[in-house]
Amino acid sequence: MAKIYQAGALNTTSLTVPNVYVQIQQLVTLLNGVSSSRVGVVGTASWGPVNAPVVIGGMPDYQAAFGTKQALASDMGVNVNIAVYQGASDFRCVRVTDGTDKAATGMLSGATLTAVCTGTSGNTISAKLTQGAINSAIWTLTVSHSLLGTGSYQGTTWAEIAAAAVSDTSALVVVSGGTAITAGSVTLAGGADGGTPSTSAFIGSDGTTRTGLYALRNQGCAIGLLCGLSDTSSFSAQIDFGLGEGLYMVSALPSGTSVSAAASALTGAGADSYAMKVMHGDWLWWDDDTNGNMLVSPAAFAAGKLAGLSPEQSTLNKQLYGVIGSQKAGLTSSGTLASYSDAELTALFDAGIDVICYPAPGGEYWAVRGGINCSTSAAVNGDNYTRLTNYLAETFATGMGTYIGQTINADLFVNIEATLTGFLSNMLDEGMLGSTNGAVPYSVICDTSNNPDSRTALGYVQADVKVKYMGILRYFIVNLQGGQGVTVTVATGS
């Protein structure tokens, strides 16, 4: 009878029984790019777990997990809402607090109901205890919130009701105490969000239990945003995390920072890296559907726009949505629009600071004006360099591990080259790579020329990959010659 084996499982040099042996060969590994649009968000909220990443796809998801938005620049809901307007749709949200947050509580028929999370959203949780109409021994506790959901728990005693609530992973309250049961209702109270967290709470720790920014480790985020945090002393830690995780950190200078102050703000902050984008402290007015007009950090707009773009693109000149004004370039008391001069923009860009302003080169709309990161090197200071470099590096790091443990031979070299070349070819076909003269903008070498026996004998295999990125049009020069005396030569047939 024929036997089937996976390739590598059968020693074909020691067969003794005449038979048919089928070996299923493994296909060459195909790479699929990692997410380039996932935003890691760290900030405050009125509900939800603290220092734990939560998957969010949009505002309905956010409200179900973190409750009502608050009128704070540090509020995650406000920042997620802004980013969604710019095209973002994939978030990992981490709530942080200053430690003074409290859970709402309420007393019902002798039992204590305590909200499972801290925050003011707990103050609108209602609980109602009713007796069964058919079986009077059965009592039902119904707990509800307009955004967080509803749960019902039954039992003949408070202990049984409490156990039913514990078994529900989405329960809004924990039940404790209580003896005799009587019908009634209560709305929880006393919940508090706490104050604005410190910079150290936003950054967090990278210990056994990760907190703050470090809770985003291994979450596959491409962009990082610390809501409302504008402390330049945090920039070095943000850059370090961004370099290690392949994140493009987006931050902003303090609200109301002048252009002259901004130009020197990064000095000594350790912010000279392609891993971070720093926005000018010209904060923006946003008309929030819950809180009305709010002054918010421009970092949320920039992060959302980056998430809505393919990684080879730049935020430069891309239209932003939901901006109703800014501290400098919005409507003035006279009703006219203030704008940035070329001298002011030069001062900001030379310092590695980007800005959102009105109008844009493409028309009468709000847009990111520079499309730069905070590196002082012109070779790497574009959004596209950071995003495309991180995208390629993370894709290779995620997908090439399948080759670990395989025997090193000519076939392995061919397969590695095929995997890398195939992925880059797909990027070329999709317009993510390209060149002005039609030449192939990448090369992959993995053979004996860069893998001598002295290295492969020790288990090393090296692939040398070169990728030429497309440039971003920043300076469009049109040479015009006009007048009655101009001679125009037109080719025959034109």
Side-chain angles (χ1 to χ4, degrees), residues 105-114 129 141 157-159 161-162 174-182 186:
T105 60
M107 295 293 295
L108 181 58
S109 185
T112 300
L113 309 183
T114 304
L129 189 63
L141 175 67
T157 65
W158 271 119
I161 293 174
V174 173
V175 181
S176 59
T179 52
I181 301 181
T182 57
V186 67

Side-chain angles (χ1 to χ4, degrees), residues 88-168:
S89 60
D90 185 7
F91 303 88
R92 297 295 182 272
C93 292
V94 176
R95 181 189 177 198
V96 291
T97 73
D98 70 340
T100 63
D101 49 308
K102 296 180 180 179
T105 60
M107 295 293 295
L108 181 58
S109 185
T112 300
L113 309 183
T114 304
V116 296
C117 297
T118 60
T120 53
S121 281
N123 295 335
T124 51
I125 295 175
S126 63
K128 186 176 182 179
L129 189 63
T130 56
Q131 191 172 25
I134 299 176
N135 185 349
S136 61
I138 300 296
W139 292 84
T140 301
L141 175 67
T142 303
V143 182
S144 62
H145 185 279
S146 59
L147 295 176
L148 303 175
T150 300
S152 295
Y153 313 101
Q154 291 186 328
T156 60
T157 65
W158 271 119
E160 291 180 0
I161 293 174
V166 168
S167 65
D168 180 9

Side-chain angles (χ1 to χ4, degrees), residues 291-351:
N291 304 302
N293 291 348
M294 293 181 60
L295 191 63
V296 296
S297 171
F301 289 87
K305 179 53 67 176
L306 285 165
L309 294 171
S310 187
E312 80 281 2
Q313 300 290 331
S314 167
T315 56
L316 172 60
N317 200 30
K318 304 299 190 301
Q319 186 171 0
L320 299 173
Y321 302 96
V323 183
I324 58 175
S326 77
Q327 290 174 298
K328 173 182 172 60
L331 288 171
T332 64
S333 58
S334 63
T336 59
L337 281 170
S339 60
Y340 284 87
S341 67
D342 286 352
E344 290 174 317
L345 292 176
T346 298
L348 292 174
F349 298 158
D350 285 349

Side-chain angles (χ1 to χ4, degrees), residues 163-233:
V166 168
S167 65
D168 180 9
T169 57
S170 60
L172 300 180
V173 299
V174 173
V175 181
S176 59
T179 52
I181 301 181
T182 57
S185 62
V186 67
T187 298
L188 275 57
D193 300 332
T196 302
S198 64
T199 298
S200 60
F202 271 99
I203 299 300
S205 63
D206 198 19
T208 304
T209 301
R210 294 180 176 132
T211 63
L213 176 63
Y214 291 104
L216 293 175
R217 194 177 290 284
N218 301 324
Q219 293 299 307
C221 299
I223 302 157
L225 174 67
L226 305 185
C227 300
L229 183 66
S230 56
D231 183 357
T232 57
S233 68

